[in-house]
Amino acid sequence: MSSRERILARIRAAVAGAPDVEIPRAYRGAGDLPDTGLVDLFARRVGDYRAVVHVVPETGAAERISASLTARGARRIVVPGGFPEPWPSVPGVELMTDGPGLGAAELDTVDGVLTTCAVAVAETGTIVLDAGPGQGRRALTLVPDYHLCVVRADQIVAGVPDAVARLVPDRPLTWISGPSATSDIELNRIEGVHGPRTLEVLVVT
Amino acid sequence: MTRTFLGLPGPRPGAAGEGFPARAARAVRDSQLRFNLRKATRTIRARRAGVVSELPDWAELRRAGKAIKDHTLRNLDAYLLQLEEAVTRAGGHVHWAADAAEANRIVAGLVRATGETEVVKVKSMVTQETGLNEALLAEGITAYETDLAELIVQLGDDRPSHILVPAIHRNRAEIREVFAGRMAGWGRPAPEDLTDDPPALAEAARVHLRERFLATKVAISGANFAVAETGTMVVLESEGNGRMCLTLPETLITVVGIEKLVPTWRDLEVFLQLLPRSSTGERMNPYTSMWTGATEGQEFHLVLLDNGRTGVLADETGRQALRCIRCSACLNVCPVYERVGGHAYGSVYPGPIGAILTPQLHGMESELERSLPYASSLCGACYEVCPVAIDIPAVLVHLRAKTRHPVAERAGMAAAGWVLERSGRLARMQRLGGRLRRLAPERLPGPMGGWSDTRDVPELPAESFRAWWERTDGGRR
Ligand code: SF4
């Protein structure tokens, strides 16, 4: 008998006669949380993770991106395909598209990445990337030390169940709540171990 | 039940033959350990309480989490098959391992097939349970731990002592010593002027591991959840080392215990709320990765591990331990854990959950496993905080009933039974005790000594209550 058959047989013998259970879903599910004031709540919750947050009207987005990249002192920034055109032009900053030349080692030499997101969660201050347009493959938002993420106000949902309902499971998903952090040394929170040490979120209303 | 290897390797302080009391006694003498543990468990407890109280529907989430896991376990055969099909459809390969040795063999074979001799690992309790690193080493494959705490543990040739913060027993000065002394032997050395400032230590780890992430072609991970319906794997983490391991290598091997399944995609809405808040006490952990099958050109293997779990499943009371999502909340509230730390529990699963999981997975042949169900005061704090409502005290009592009580206790109970059976016997024994009371020792002899080591032996009264009552007619004479 293969291990597969053996494990399945053991399970069947172990649970034979055990009653099944109904799953009570009395918690706040998708659509149950109030959907007002989400931009404010999201911005506050992202801020709690010590990420930098800006809320700007659509017309001010390009200018804000430009100001952030300049303040960062960035020279080379990766922008995944599908990021809304026209791309801002930032003096002294080269905006590079992703391509075959950009292996992990090369990515390690760029100054940061500028992306959109798929969904954002107000209650937890989370952004979710699904490798869709403007987000790119997962390594892009991982290897560089700086991530500037643009969130449209209509992408912000109230709670975790709303986000789960909006996302498509067969895409690679990365849920990001603040910059990379560790509490492994005497439980002191330290921002930045392996992922981007600086996360900047730009909410466009 | 056959003995299941649970990550209790040989010549470490405290072999499996040594019981919890001896290990605990050693641990409580370590004042540094007690200080670290106290600070850490208190901090994290307060944090958890804060974010849990934020959610008005915590009780409902907990009820749902418990029921989802119970339902999964009841139908585990069907869900495993569904998971296998979904992963395979998405281009992944599924392997089944009945025990630790088989899992290690499968993983070693997969690594060898890539021609690589180095792998990076992201925190996976299950591969600690199987002793994978040691097994790989025997095949000439070096496994590098990448979680900061695991790195501290691996470099220090140490054992993890907490589920979530495995190096909770080390303070910053000790960590600096480990990094300064050992990093060079494993790869990029620590900077000459390394201080014990936590950000400097984190930076040293970042730099030490960066080249390894960029160069290593095979990664081994665990998973917090595996969704049967979609074949999706879910890993929650903080540092980004998980994302590095899951994303950059060409081959990814994920090892999960068969109890990690949840039936549907939607079920994640429950566990993504329960786990981070219970575990690190955050609204959400910094990074959660989800992937389905072979992703972005990667080769993906899933190893499903039994290793004693089906035995636990067969026990009606004990099976609830399989609901555990390894959040470690029960460790942080446990008055016993807070004082003795994780090493005293002698397995990769410490604290209250370890006290019920280790003896069940491992069998109760050694002194260690027999003593673990007693490593608790049954205060019930663990049950209160458990996000999937595992009644740990009930399982402890259930397991106690299965072990033979210690010799002295059995002898004592038998003697007490004989004396108490007839009131005449009791009166005679009490008179005898009263007369001999000057001779009573401060430390009890023989096997009873353990009891009086930590307590004062009560003084025997000159006269028993019954004798006093008879003599004075209840105080009236
Ligand atoms: S037993 Fe409950 S509280 Fe303890 S680690 Fe498991 S899920 Fe968390």
Side-chain angles (χ1 to χ4, degrees):
Chain A
M1 193 162 30
S2 70
S3 290
R4 179 176 183 271
E5 295 315 315
R6 195 170 326 135
I7 293 170
L8 290 171
R10 282 187 200 154
I11 292 169
R12 287 171 190 142
V15 300
D20 207 340
V21 271
E22 285 292 310
I23 299 167
R25 294 193 193 262
Y27 55 87
R28 301 169 305 158
D32 291 345
L33 269 72
D35 59 356
T36 49
L38 295 186
V39 168
D40 267 6
L41 180 60
F42 174 70
R44 253 185 298 129
R45 294 283 155 96
V46 173
D48 284 349
Y49 297 123
R50 292 188 231 171
V52 186
V53 196
H54 313 275
V55 181
V56 294
E58 181 142 25
T59 48
E63 201 183 315
R64 184 60 250 176
I65 291 172
S66 177
S68 290
L69 296 181
T70 309
R72 175 85 191 163
R75 308 216 153 276
R76 296 159 71 232
I77 293 285
V78 183
V79 185
F83 190 88
E85 311 266 355
W87 290 6
S89 84
V90 190
V93 180
E94 181 196 349
L95 298 183
M96 321 155 55
T97 47
D98 189 14
L102 216 48
E106 291 76 28
L107 265 181
D108 199 26
T109 67
V110 306
D111 298 316
V113 58
L114 167 64
T115 73
T116 62
C117 73
V119 176
V121 187
E123 190 170 74
T124 60
T126 304
I127 54 179
V128 189
L129 308 186
D130 73 353
Q135 300 162 60
R137 60 197 166 97
R138 295 172 295 172
L140 297 186
T141 50
L142 171 64
V143 181
D145 203 16
Y146 170 71
H147 180 192
L148 174 57
C149 184
V150 180
V151 178
R152 283 196 329 265
D154 64 5
Q155 291 180 309
I156 304 175
V157 297
V160 170
D162 304 282
V164 169
R166 271 208 200 183
L167 291 163
V168 184
D170 57 9
R171 306 188 69 97
L173 301 175
T174 308
W175 297 53
I176 300 173
S177 307
S180 153
T182 182
S183 298
D184 280 346
I185 302 169
E186 297 180 7
L187 280 186
N188 292 313
R189 186 180 162 103
I190 305 162
E191 268 82 39
V193 192
H194 303 296
R197 285 183 282 194
T198 308
L199 173 69
E200 203 167 333
V201 177
L202 183 55
V203 184
V204 179
T205 55
Chain B
M1 186 173 168
T2 53
R3 284 185 69 77
T4 303
F5 182 70
L6 254 192
L8 302 166
R12 297 269 175 193
E18 189 186 27
F20 180 84
R23 291 161 174 270
R26 200 167 39 241
V28 292
R29 280 197 296 272
D30 184 341
S31 56
Q32 180 68 58
L33 176 69
R34 289 185 63 172
F35 176 83
N36 293 357
L37 281 168
R38 199 181 137 91
K39 180 176 172 212
T41 53
R42 276 166 200 240
T43 312
I44 205 160
R45 231 147 61 195
R47 239 189 257 161
R48 175 201 165 273
V51 293
V52 164
S53 67
E54 259 181 32
L55 292 189
D57 56 346
W58 185 256
E60 286 77 20
L61 285 166
R62 185 172 182 247
R63 259 198 293 283
K66 168 181 191 255
I68 291 169
K69 281 290 188 179
D70 278 342
H71 167 75
T72 314
L73 291 168
R74 174 63 189 82
N75 303 283
L76 193 55
D77 53 337
Y79 284 128
L80 281 167
L81 291 172
Q82 194 186 6
L83 177 76
E84 179 184 49
E85 200 200 313
V87 170
T88 310
R89 203 182 327 120
H93 306 273
V94 179
H95 311 262
W96 301 67
D99 56 24
E102 188 175 11
N104 293 345
R105 238 184 355 260
I106 292 169
V107 174
L110 291 170
V111 178
R112 257 202 321 272
T114 65
E116 296 294 316
T117 54
E118 298 192 336
V119 299
V120 282
K121 276 186 69 194
V122 53
K123 189 159 69 178
S124 146
M125 302 201 69
V126 80
T127 59
Q128 271 166 36
E129 176 188 321
T130 66
L132 179 66
N133 291 8
E134 292 81 358
L136 288 178
L137 201 59
E139 303 266 341
I141 300 161
T142 311
Y144 294 98
E145 296 292 349
T146 63
D147 186 76
L148 178 52
E150 299 282 355
L151 179 71
I152 297 166
V153 167
Q154 186 175 48
L155 292 176
D157 196 20
D158 200 351
R159 308 291 300 165
S161 65
H162 189 278
I163 292 178
L164 176 77
V165 206
I168 202 168
H169 58 290
R170 297 281 201 180
N171 66 17
R172 60 180 79 185
E174 294 174 303
I175 295 168
R176 196 210 84 91
E177 286 308 301
V178 170
F179 279 11
R182 301 291 185 87
M183 268 186 175
W186 285 81
R188 195 178 165 121
E192 293 276 321
D193 54 353
L194 182 65
T195 67
D196 64 4
D197 188 30
L201 294 170
E203 168 73 16
R206 177 185 173 96
V207 174
H208 176 76
L209 285 172
R210 177 85 15 170
E211 296 168 10
R212 182 147 290 137
F213 284 133
L214 299 181
T216 308
K217 300 215 160 44
V218 183
I220 297 170
S221 85
N224 295 96
F225 305 102
V227 183
E229 174 188 43
T230 58
T232 308
M233 302 291 135
V234 183
V235 170
L236 282 73
E237 53 140 350
S238 296
E239 296 170 15
N241 60 311
R243 294 177 67 195
M244 289 279 177
C245 290
L246 301 173
T247 309
L248 298 182
E250 293 164 6
T251 302
L252 172 62
I253 304 167
T254 299
V255 186
V256 299
I258 52 174
E259 82 284 16
K260 292 282 151 199
L261 269 68
V262 295
T264 67
W265 170 251
R266 182 185 171 193
D267 295 327
L268 292 177
E269 72 188 16
V270 175
F271 294 105
L272 288 180
Q273 298 193 72
L274 288 176
L275 183 49
R277 288 179 198 255
S278 298
S279 169
T280 46
E282 293 167 298
R283 296 188 184 108
M284 197 61 103
N285 51 296
Y287 299 135
T288 297
S289 297
M290 303 181 182
W291 75 98
T292 303
T295 305
E296 294 179 343
Q298 206 173 39
E299 172 144 336
F300 175 60
H301 295 272
L302 174 64
V303 182
L304 298 168
L305 175 72
D306 179 346
N307 205 34
R309 286 161 176 75
T310 47
V312 183
L313 190 60
D315 185 317
E316 234 175 273
T317 306
R319 66 166 67 115
Q320 56 183 310
L322 296 177
R323 292 204 294 260
C324 176
I325 55 174
R326 311 274 188 269
C327 71
S328 69
C330 58
L331 278 62
N332 300 327
V333 296
C334 178
V336 177
Y337 178 87
E338 184 181 327
R339 282 157 187 86
V340 303
H343 291 152
Y345 295 83
S347 100
V348 296
Y349 302 111
I353 181 61
I356 61 170
L357 204 52
T358 304
Q360 292 201 82
L361 285 173
H362 202 210
M364 302 219 265
E365 277 155 49
S366 82
E367 190 50 40
L368 171 69
E369 293 117 15
R370 276 196 301 274
S371 62
L372 280 176
Y374 293 88
S376 166
S377 62
L378 302 181
C379 75
C382 47
Y383 172 54
E384 291 281 304
V385 296
C386 178
V388 285
I390 299 173
D391 192 345
I392 294 177
V395 180
L396 286 167
V397 171
H398 172 71
L399 293 174
R400 286 181 187 185
K402 286 183 157 188
T403 63
R404 285 169 68 76
H405 292 254
V407 186
E409 193 180 324
R410 269 183 284 144
M413 288 298 172
W418 182 82
V419 171
L420 293 172
E421 208 172 57
R422 303 259 173 79
S423 62
R425 278 182 199 160
L426 179 63
R428 274 199 304 282
M429 291 306 289
Q430 283 170 333
R431 277 198 302 278
L432 185 65
R435 256 178 263 140
L436 299 179
R437 70 197 187 99
R438 300 263 165 253
L439 305 176
E442 270 176 35
R443 184 180 193 279
L444 293 175
M448 300 295 286
W451 191 85
S452 59
D453 278 347
T454 50
R455 298 169 182 85
D456 289 333
V457 177
E459 275 188 39
L460 286 175
E463 188 178 33
S464 76
F465 176 73
R466 281 159 168 266
W468 169 83
W469 185 276
E470 258 169 41
R471 182 168 59 77
T472 63
D473 189 18
R476 276 191 285 271
R477 273 203 292 267

